[in-house]
Amino acid sequence: MNLNSIKVGKTYVLKNGLLRRLEKLEVREGRLDAGYVPIDRKGNEGDFRWSKAVTFAISALGEAKA
């Protein structure tokens, strides 16, 4: 996906089939980072994590449907 098309609060499906809910987009240490919560196949939520926003956007295939 494009970096401009990801939105905070939405859940995205990654290339590996896993789900990530985007919680924050903020500039940290001079780069744009994405704060997300991983969701496993059973629907359990994991701990909050950070990654580069570009990496998050590239690995997201699209928005998850409810």
Side-chain angles (χ1 to χ4, degrees), residues 4-18:
N4 296 328
S5 63
I6 61 174
K7 295 183 178 19
V8 174
K10 301 285 184 178
T11 302
Y12 294 94
V13 180
L14 302 186
K15 290 179 182 177
N16 58 8
L18 299 177

Side-chain angles (χ1 to χ4, degrees), residues 19 33 46 57 61 64:
L19 300 174
D33 284 346
L61 290 177

Side-chain angles (χ1 to χ4, degrees), residues 10 15 18 27-28 32 34 40 45 52 54-55 63-64:
K10 301 285 184 178
K15 290 179 182 177
L18 299 177
V27 176
R28 295 176 10 146
L32 186 62
D40 68 9
E45 295 182 359
K52 289 189 279 189
V54 174
T55 304
E63 192 175 324

Side-chain angles (χ1 to χ4, degrees), residues 50-62:
W50 289 100
S51 77
K52 289 189 279 189
V54 174
T55 304
F56 185 92
I58 290 172
S59 62
L61 290 177

Side-chain angles (χ1 to χ4, degrees), residues 11 17-21 37-47:
T11 302
L18 299 177
L19 300 174
R20 302 282 187 262
R21 187 175 65 241
V37 175
I39 303 170
D40 68 9
R41 298 188 193 286
K42 295 180 182 177
N44 300 322
E45 295 182 359
D47 296 331

